[in-house]
């Protein structure tokens, strides 16, 4: 095993086509030499969600170019790449297949190792890429497609403490925006409106807070919001600006309360392991929400736990996290061959019971 490893990573499990190159020398902090991400928003916007077939075709078209761009940005040639890491699941199967086939072609053509990576492991190992986090740390993945608490013990060893049994919070933000006539993606627009609203004007449910454990549910919130909106519209004959802001503030406050309380419970389980440098990391698009971040920081401070959120470009889907997770797997001696298959579902913690539900933006595992 060479002291310095240079890994090319590919990601295509949802609606971002990404290629990145990450290098690490021995124990030194890893370096991102290039990270290219091509979103597909304009291809799907007319359909109100990601269309798997359109996504897969777009990935197949864009992957080669993304690899070329990553090489140009880094100033490297393919001859300098030690291994190819690729998202092999979970996700929309056509997209995952596009990436796996591209990676197999590169691996066979260059005669270098192939390393399949679990997309969720990519997110979960990001605090090691950005902050050199030491195991074990607690991770909250919270995006349009994911919502789960994981304790990361090692590159392939995770305990899932709980997750959503239906929608991911990002989906709930997006649906809320749609119901209130606000632009997509919903998270930033709902957050902006919520600033001017009264979070107490409506009392939205805090699902599953009355049950023990760290599982969450966000689909009922959307129904409650729809009812509240209809009531306001029936009363005013439309949706006044202030009423819309109040609905956003009430919805956001409910999401914040649920995430804060479940995080508090997850921290208690994690801290029972007595980690020497306790850390909670959040990742995913929803981690950009300032109200959510502020509350999670408070929960962490109450438990004397360090809080970290990687820069947004590394919180949302990207290939640098895949290259890095592949690098850790490869360094530990693992690699795949041409039998590597694309998996629509692939839980990180094989011992945890399956979570119900599957989101519109890809499989939750
Ligand atoms: O991680 P991400 O880019 O993509 C996947 O879900 O794969 O997350 C996107 C989600 C969207 O649902 C978006 O509305 C949400 O993250 N989001 C936010 C904010 N910024 C993005 N949600 C709440 N508050 C925000 N500021
Ligand atoms: Zn993701």
């Amino acid at each position: 095993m060479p002291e310095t490893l240079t890994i090319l990573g590919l990601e295509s499990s949802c609606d971002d086509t990404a290629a990145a190159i990450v290098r690490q020398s021995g124990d030194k902090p890893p370096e991102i030499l290039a990270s290219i991400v091509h979103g597909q928003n304009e291809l799907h916007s007319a359909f109100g969600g990601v269309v798997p077939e359109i996504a897969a075709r777009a990935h197949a078209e864009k992957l080669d170019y993304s690899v070329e761009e990553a090489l140009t940005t880094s100033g490297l040639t393919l001859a300098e790449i030690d291994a190819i890491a690729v998202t092999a699941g979970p996700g929309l199967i056509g997209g995952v297949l596009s990436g796996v086939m591209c990676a197999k072609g590169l691996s066979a053509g260059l005669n270098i190792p192939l390393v399949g990576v679990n997309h969720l492991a990519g997110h979960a190992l990001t605090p090691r890429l950005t902050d050199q986090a030491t195991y074990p740390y607690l991770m909250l993945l919270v995006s349009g497609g994911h919502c789960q608490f994981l304790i990361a013990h090692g590159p392939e060893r995770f305990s899932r403490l709980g997750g959503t049994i239906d929608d991911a919070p990002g989906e709930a933000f997006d649906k809320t925006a749609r119901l209130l006539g606000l632009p997509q993606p919903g998270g930033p627009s709902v957050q902006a409106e919520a600033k001017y609203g009264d979070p107490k004007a409506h009392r939205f449910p805090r699902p599953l807070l009355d049950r023990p454990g760290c599982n969450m549910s966000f689909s009922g919130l959307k129904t409650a919001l729809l009812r509240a909106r209809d009531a306001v519209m029936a009363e005013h004959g439309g949706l006044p600006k202030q009423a819309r802001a109040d609905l956003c503030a009430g919805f956001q406050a409910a999401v914040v309360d649920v995430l804060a309380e479940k995080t508090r419970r997850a921290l208690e389980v994690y801290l029972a392991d007595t980690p020497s440098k306790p850390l909670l990391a959040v990742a995913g698009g929803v981690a950009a929400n300032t109200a959510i971040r502020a509350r999670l920081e408070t929960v962490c401070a109450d438990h004397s736990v360090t809080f970290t959120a990687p820069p947004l470009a590394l919180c949302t889907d990207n290939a640098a996290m895949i290259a890095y997770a592949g690098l850790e797997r490869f360094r530990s001696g693992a690699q795949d061959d041409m039998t590597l298959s694309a998996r629509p579902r692939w839980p990180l913690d094989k011992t945890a019971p399956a979570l119900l539900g599957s989101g519109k933006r890809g499989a939750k595992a």
Side-chain angles (χ1 to χ4, degrees):
M1 178 79 52
E3 167 82 355
T4 299
L5 284 176
T6 307
I7 309 287
L8 170 65
L10 304 180
E11 156 62 33
S12 56
S13 64
C14 189
D15 58 351
D16 292 298
T17 312
I21 299 172
V22 169
R23 174 175 278 171
Q24 189 174 34
S25 299
D27 291 338
K28 295 213 184 96
E31 279 176 275
I32 301 172
L33 303 184
S35 181
I36 308 294
V37 181
H38 290 290
Q40 302 178 347
N41 274 347
E42 72 288 1
L43 297 180
H44 304 288
S45 59
F47 303 97
V50 177
V51 183
E53 180 61 25
I54 295 176
R57 282 167 194 269
H59 287 307
E61 276 170 22
K62 271 273 164 66
L63 273 161
D64 301 12
Y65 295 108
S66 305
V67 170
E68 266 175 27
E69 282 178 70
L71 289 168
T72 308
T73 306
S74 63
L76 298 180
T77 64
L78 280 173
E80 291 165 279
I81 303 294
D82 295 309
I84 311 285
V86 62
T87 299
L92 300 173
I93 193 66
V96 179
L97 259 174
S98 303
V100 168
M101 296 311 288
C102 178
K104 283 183 180 176
L106 284 166
S107 161
L110 298 165
N111 195 23
I112 57 173
L114 173 70
V115 187
V117 170
N118 182 311
H119 176 87
L120 299 169
H123 280 301
L125 296 188
T126 300
R128 291 180 52 75
L129 171 62
T130 56
D131 292 84
Q132 285 76 63
T134 49
Y135 297 120
Y137 57 88
L138 179 64
M139 187 74 209
L140 168 59
L141 286 186
V142 62
S143 73
H146 323 293
C147 184
Q148 51 185 288
F149 291 103
L150 294 161
I151 299 178
H153 302 280
E156 296 196 76
R157 211 158 63 79
F158 300 93
S159 316
R160 196 185 65 215
L161 305 182
T164 182
I165 59 166
D166 42 52
D167 290 354
E171 272 176 281
F173 269 99
D174 294 343
K175 282 176 191 162
T176 295
R178 222 168 282 135
L179 289 172
L180 300 180
L182 294 168
Q184 295 292 321
S189 28
V190 170
Q191 174 179 320
E193 286 284 311
K195 241 203 259 164
Y196 306 104
D198 172 6
K200 297 211 169 78
H202 300 272
R203 177 75 194 166
F204 290 118
R206 270 70 173 154
L208 299 190
L209 277 200
D210 53 342
R211 307 244 191 101
C214 301
N215 279 351
M216 292 161 279
S217 160
F218 295 98
S219 70
L221 256 180
K222 166 197 67 192
T223 316
L225 182 105
L226 175 65
R227 289 217 189 92
R229 181 205 66 174
D230 288 350
V232 169
M233 288 180 75
E235 190 186 335
H236 297 277
L239 192 57
K241 211 172 162 359
Q242 186 58 46
R244 185 162 75 178
D246 291 346
L247 287 167
C248 287
F251 165 83
Q252 183 172 274
V255 176
V256 169
D257 280 354
V258 170
L259 287 174
E261 173 56 21
K262 296 290 175 168
T263 299
R264 196 187 60 69
R265 294 183 198 177
L267 277 175
E268 277 171 9
V269 177
Y270 162 63
L271 291 171
D273 259 0
T274 54
S276 60
K277 285 193 221 159
L279 175 79
L280 169 75
V282 285
V286 180
N289 186 287
T290 45
I292 293 173
R293 268 182 194 237
R295 268 293 278 290
L296 295 184
E297 276 190 87
T298 308
V299 173
C300 282
D302 290 346
H303 289 79
S304 308
V305 168
T306 306
F307 173 82
T308 182
L312 198 58
L314 294 172
C315 273
T316 54
D317 285 354
N318 67 87
M321 68 181 191
I322 302 303
Y324 179 72
L327 190 151
E328 277 212 33
R329 257 202 95 203
F330 186 57
R331 231 190 240 299
S332 73
Q335 61 173 282
D336 294 283
D337 58 24
M338 290 298 144
T339 62
L340 175 68
S341 50
R343 302 167 66 170
R345 288 198 169 252
W346 184 1
L348 274 183
D349 178 353
K350 287 152 208 89
T351 60
L355 291 167
L356 301 171
S358 82
K360 276 214 182 98
R361 300 184 54 123
K364 301 181 185 86

